[in-house]
Amino acid sequence: MTHKNARSITKAVILCAASLAFLVTLTGCGGKSIRDHADAKGLVFGMAVRPGDMLDPQRAKLLKEHFNLLVAENTMKMQYLRPTPTFWNWGDVDMLVNFAEANKMKAKGHTFIWHAQNPPFIMGLNSREAALKAMTETITETLTRYKGRIAEYDVCNEVFEEDGTLRNSVWMRNIGAEYIDIAFQTARAADPSVKLILNDYNNEYAGTAKADAFYALVKSMVERGIPIDGVGLQLHMMAKHPINETALRETIRRFRDLGLTVSFTEVDVRIQSPVTPDKEAEQESVYATLLGIAMDEPNVKSFILWGYTDAQSWIPATFGGYDSAHLFDREMKPKKVYRTLMDMIKAK
Ligand code: G3I
């Protein structure tokens, strides 16, 4: 080998190493991200976001590198979207939908009809007519504005109590159980392309009162021709409780048999403080089991996380003594569990 050849080879090796180092810095994970593999495998891997996430360059970069669907953690709820009957706060939603489109991500809607995070004019409703008007206007205005641009929507959220009875919400009190059917019919009429979802928590294990009531309602909606495309299992889990795979798969399959999709809509796995390596291993196992099932069951269509960084999480404020539920640490560096999930998608 001549000196010239040796110099060229050395130069090429240095260039390759430099490019690799750049990619490692870029993603923190050796040049590929979960999104790269999810895109390649057709997996929808999503994230709940706050408006500031898209405005902050570091966070915005992280979101587009690692996820291919965005859902608003709060800004599409009535409290923010429509704080008075006549004021519509489209700005934050426009930003989310535009950001998603600019970065070839899907946008998801969350949520029209819920018992929580409603403005005073909704909480003060006291007639069927007024409640129907508020509900149908909100759904129709929103879906008309974003027609064809939102992939899926949690039309109604958390309609059940833990014992499987319908929750005594402002919608239930004013309209009766029929409010759920009407919400889905209104959504379908406004935008036939958006996938309509009924979303809840503690509805993942077949055989429990809430999961069985949730299933019975959805089955009756399908049988009565109410336009519903899928169900959402929120899956806010605890690291110390291993997933009951049999009961979760039974839930997914009974919705498959109704012709419906299942979305894992709000996945997080919280750890009881103090965080230890053993507890992180338990967390990793819960995340990996959920992702394995999502990739394995053909009617599971999306795997969406409810928060990416422990620096900005709903968990500590809601569950005292719990923390560290997400894939990125407080410095927004991916944790070991991130690599585990990425390798699973890559190997699929
Ligand atoms: O906007 C105010 C801000 O002005 C104020 O300074 C701050 C002080 O606490 O509060 C801010 O509002 C908070 C809001 O999140 C926005 O950050 C509320 O206090 C807080 O209660 C609210 O929590 C949200 C929660 O829904 C409300 O129920 C969480 O962020 C959000 O992650 C959570 O999301 C729900 C899903 O929609 C449905 N499934 C369960 C899931 C977790 O509870």
Side-chain angles (χ1 to χ4, degrees), residues 40-212:
K41 301 286 159 72
L43 174 70
V44 175
F45 196 84
M47 177 51 64
V49 290
R50 301 178 182 183
D53 295 331
M54 289 162 281
L55 294 168
D56 174 83
Q58 188 193 2
R59 286 164 192 252
K61 181 166 166 285
L62 184 148
L63 291 176
K64 54 192 173 196
E65 277 171 13
H66 299 283
F67 306 103
N68 57 21
L69 175 146
L70 296 183
V71 56
E73 184 180 356
N74 287 298
T75 50
M76 293 169 89
K77 296 168 182 173
M78 281 251 235
Q79 177 187 14
Y80 297 98
L81 179 72
R82 194 184 179 193
T84 76
T86 53
F87 183 81
W88 298 83
N89 183 14
W90 298 120
D92 289 336
V93 187
D94 285 352
M95 181 166 65
L96 187 150
V97 173
N98 290 337
F99 183 93
E101 284 177 350
N103 295 294
K104 300 187 168 53
M105 306 157 113
K106 289 177 191 281
K108 180 183 169 189
H110 172 85
T111 174
F112 285 129
I113 305 302
W114 193 23
H115 64 279
Q117 286 183 288
N118 283 309
F121 91 92
I122 294 292
M123 294 316 288
L125 288 169
N126 59 7
S127 78
R128 177 181 166 85
E129 292 65 36
L132 280 173
K133 182 170 185 291
M135 180 173 96
T136 54
E137 273 177 359
T138 302
I139 295 173
T140 304
E141 283 287 318
T142 307
L143 288 181
T144 304
R145 181 179 179 90
Y146 298 107
K147 203 164 191 153
R149 302 176 69 194
I150 296 187
E152 54 186 85
Y153 221 113
D154 296 334
V155 178
C156 296
N157 191 40
E158 302 173 5
V159 303
F160 283 103
E161 303 282 2
E162 294 309 291
D163 65 1
T165 58
L166 281 177
R167 190 187 290 272
N168 181 23
S169 68
V170 63
W171 308 108
M172 184 73 178
R173 285 194 298 278
N174 279 287
I175 304 173
E178 201 193 357
Y179 82 86
I180 301 167
D181 293 355
I182 298 171
F184 277 79
Q185 286 163 331
T186 306
R188 174 65 90 234
D191 182 356
S193 74
V194 63
K195 301 289 177 218
L196 305 179
I197 292 180
L198 183 69
N199 192 44
D200 216 320
Y201 63 92
N202 288 349
N203 59 348
E204 63 272 13
Y205 292 148
T208 59
K210 190 169 175 181
D212 289 353

